[in-house]
Amino acid sequence: MNKRTLWSAALVVGLAVTASACGSAAGPGSSSGGSGDKLVVWDWKSGDAKAANYLAKAKADFAKKHPGVNIEFVAQPYDQFYTLLGTAIQSGKGPDVIMFNGGGKIRDRSDALAPLDEYVGEDKQRLAGWEAFSKEGKVYAEPVTLQGHPIYYNKDLYQKAGLNPDSPPKTWDEFTKNCGVVTEKTGAKCFALGNKEGIGIQFWLSAMGSAILTPQEYDDWINGKRDWNSANVKKIFELWKQAGDTGLNSDGANSTAMFNDAFGIFNSAKAANVIGLMSDVGHWKDFSEFLTPEKVGVMPAPVVNSAAKPSLPYDGGIGYAVAKWTKDPKLAADLVRSLTSTDALKSFYEDGGAIVSDTTVDVSKGGPSVKTIQTEVKSGKPALHVALPSKTVDLMGRLSQELLSGSTTVDDVVTQLAASDKNG
């Protein structure tokens, strides 16, 4: 999602928050502490069939450098991942290598991780997305994917409504006017939205923020100088509420899961637009399988404030870190480097559609939407929600549900978020 070379999407979904990208459920599994002949990896990807070739190539790359060292991947369920990891951190023992979402998830736990700066220097130019895995000038993970939040649209619905599918609206007023035409002509809603887990507001904040905040406000936000009481910040949440109040969203947003029910609404042409991901799920490859590549469009955020300059929001999506307790951090770091090797990441892109951190991987055959994303990456900026503390992101999710239900006000929301942000 960075100065800037792209892409999670992280392309994987974070997560943010790539909440749907869960591997097969498993118990906490074994731990090794880097015994010298075995390394244990915790993630939520190794149970995914689309990651099989990626992991096979990463293992093969590592085996060339360290023959005889066994690797055990333990796929944890994503919804329990950080809880299980917290138990391991408290005990001071667990896996040697750990998958993380970029942003607050890893920064909040950096004390339990080994800085990787002395091991990853050769990869700095090849890979993008480092900032999401860094804290106070130190790198704690190598980015595997880039994750961001493009606004996708269904070109077929636009065409059926008599609109030019190759010329998406450039302003918010044009966008909402077009949405009215699409709904009238096709019955499809404007936005497919899932906010049952409070994730929808993360996507909204990051996708729409650059169309509302001035470039200086945007940069200040990323750098920790956030003015929650500014008119433009409030406007982001006012539009969130307005979209719900005026019926732009798909029905029952607060009871609809983002993964994968909201994306299913878009795939089934019941909504013309969706703020999706660049990587993993809810992304260009998934949508192309349902709608065909030619029908999946990607548009910049429609301008709300004429002083704003819309950009693609993205950061490092998922990455691998080394636990502080591992007995051989260099060995574990070598495994991390194999997990971000070019051949491995190329497979991850080809099989799963992940926009990977390796800027040398060719995505030209991915179809029109991925080409647009790759072009926008060059001028992209970090995602706004990734810059927030994890506790503030969680609070924002709960408050966003209250805004949609009408049980709170924008002023109250920004007041609470400002207090949470200040306390870290």
Side-chain angles (χ1 to χ4, degrees), residues 189-212:
K189 290 285 190 175
C190 181
F191 277 116
L193 177 63
N195 200 48
K196 183 177 182 180
E197 314 90 334
I199 296 174
I201 188 62
Q202 298 175 31
F203 288 32
W204 178 269
L205 170 64
S206 289
M208 290 298 302
S210 68
I212 299 173

Side-chain angles (χ1 to χ4, degrees), residues 6 52 149 160 162 181 232 245 343 374 415-416:
L6 222 330
H149 302 281
K160 287 179 178 178
V181 174
N232 286 335
D245 291 347
D343 283 349
Q374 191 72 2
T415 297
Q416 291 192 54

Side-chain angles (χ1 to χ4, degrees), residues 67-92:
V69 177
N70 295 317
I71 305 170
E72 179 186 357
F73 281 85
V74 182
Q76 306 288 9
Y78 183 83
D79 59 356
Q80 300 175 37
F81 186 85
Y82 290 104
T83 300
L84 295 171
L85 181 57
T87 301
I89 290 173
Q90 288 180 355
S91 68

Side-chain angles (χ1 to χ4, degrees), residues 333-404:
D334 277 353
L335 176 55
V336 168
R337 295 193 65 205
S338 291
L339 287 161
T340 58
S341 60
T342 296
D343 283 349
L345 292 180
K346 182 180 178 182
S347 288
F348 205 12
Y349 160 72
E350 291 175 345
D351 294 348
I355 303 297
V356 293
S357 59
D358 192 323
T359 58
T360 70
V361 173
D362 182 10
V363 301
S364 61
K365 297 180 181 179
S369 56
V370 73
K371 291 178 184 177
T372 300
I373 289 170
Q374 191 72 2
T375 299
E376 293 183 0
V377 160
K378 297 175 183 178
S379 59
K381 288 190 173 185
L384 295 176
H385 78 274
V386 177
L388 297 174
S390 294
K391 291 182 179 178
T392 304
V393 171
D394 292 342
L395 174 62
M396 184 171 66
R398 296 192 295 273
L399 294 175
S400 73
Q401 294 171 331
E402 295 178 14
L403 274 177
L404 288 183

